Amino acid sequence: MESVSCVNVPQVAAAICPYIHYVHARSKQKGASALLSLTRSMIKQEVPLRQIVVNDRVDVALLTSAGAVQLPANGLSVVDAKSLLSEGTRCGVSVHSLEEVQTAEQAGADYVLFGHVYETHCKAGLVPRGIAQLESICRLSDIPVIALGGIQPHHVPELYHAGASGIAVMSGIWEAKSPVAAAMEYRRMVDLVVHDL
Amino acid sequence: MESVSCVNVPQVAAAICPYIHYVHARSKQKGASALLSLTRSMIKQEVPLRQIVVNDRVDVALLTSAGAVQLPANGLSVVDAKSLLSEGTRCGVSVHSLEEVQTAEQAGADYVLFGHVYETHCKAGLVPRGIAQLESICRLSDIPVIALGGIQPHHVPELYHAGASGIAVMSGIWEAKSPVAAAMEYRRMVDLVVHDL
């Protein structure tokens, strides 16, 4: 969410949270103080704790009692993170290959975030991993695989049919004219496909 | 220490630690996994825990029981960091102005790191803050001020006479032909001036 400057992030997070399961608090370039402040603002705006996923910083998750931590590829291991967090705090791992999925799974990750599946300007110039790789990873993984990267609402059916357990969206919601309308549209597509699976 | 690639950092840290009080474990660009691994390697090389200062990441300090955390200007506040750390774990804050020193002091910082005092290629193109600003900050601070930035052994007397309680050195030791000889020389200068104060 660090690229989003024109919207009030905590307020938007509160407005969209009825339509999504989790919201990630990220502030990669700005340091732990900004991340903590963003997370606390979300809580103040009544985003439920169980829906908040703190990126990378286990210390910030501990300070806020956030429901989950998203561990980047160069972040703490799941085992180390879980040794600090209270029981029940979920740990997701960002992965880019089958090997990383298996490592995360063996370490006790609750889910993995795999991407980027489609082209996205967040990863400009990088070849997307595509639906076929997503499919093979979902087939071989015992934990939920959340698809990420360039996802538009019309992609939802093929992602779920490929085995994804969920989708993660950044620009599709945060750069939308109406983030709430966008979140509702993604959710409508997910509910439709989940109903049909 | 992230710019140091040609030396075995944990081994050098162990070799110089009899001559210094603290060694900072830093890995700003490489993520928490690299920082944790560096810190654990130092411990394995028998750098005493009380001498290890972990940069920025309170979670890594918790995982390693390091003796101190160095909070960058955009890092967690001292109050938040101390609420997670065990009693007795020291918190230093990196500061660049008198205002920041006073904020750190009021928040319960154990010391501040102030710089950069002299020109250094680590801060190429940035005007150093100089000895006069160091002096005024030391005069108005009730907690120890550690001087940082471009410090050579011959600078040690004027730094301590300006009120510094210590010095922090990066390239002067880590880029020296013999880091141990360099650490010994800094220490010799410090001992001389402290003896005379």
Side-chain angles (χ1 to χ4, degrees), chain B residues 56-139:
Chain B
D56 186 27
R57 302 276 313 213
V58 173
D59 41 15
V60 172
L62 289 170
L63 286 167
T64 55
S65 304
V69 177
Q70 181 65 32
L71 300 165
N74 67 357
L76 295 178
S77 71
V78 176
V79 171
D80 284 324
K82 290 218 168 193
S83 76
L84 294 175
L85 294 161
S86 62
E87 217 180 305
T89 306
R90 292 158 53 84
C91 283
V93 179
S94 299
V95 296
H96 307 93
S97 67
L98 180 58
E99 201 189 342
E100 287 178 4
V101 174
Q102 288 172 328
T103 303
E105 197 174 314
Q106 280 157 16
D110 295 289
Y111 66 91
V112 290
L113 210 61
F114 172 77
H116 56 295
V117 178
Y118 303 107
E119 266 191 57
T120 164
H121 65 81
C122 305
K123 300 271 183 188
L126 290 177
V127 178
R129 293 193 164 75
I131 202 84
Q133 201 181 337
L134 171 69
E135 195 163 13
S136 73
I137 275 177
C138 293
R139 203 171 39 239

Side-chain angles (χ1 to χ4, degrees), chain A residues 34-53:
Chain A
L35 180 63
L36 178 59
S37 163
L38 171 63
T39 311
R40 285 183 170 154
S41 298
M42 285 183 182
I43 295 166
K44 214 172 161 187
Q45 292 287 335
E46 301 188 3
V47 177
L49 278 176
R50 66 174 187 285
Q51 283 187 261
I52 299 178
V53 184

Side-chain angles (χ1 to χ4, degrees), chain A residues 24 53 68-70 90-93 104 109-113 143-146:
Chain A
H24 285 237
V53 184
V69 176
Q70 181 65 31
R90 292 160 54 82
C91 282
V93 179
D110 295 289
Y111 67 92
V112 290
L113 209 60
I143 55 175
V145 177
I146 312 300

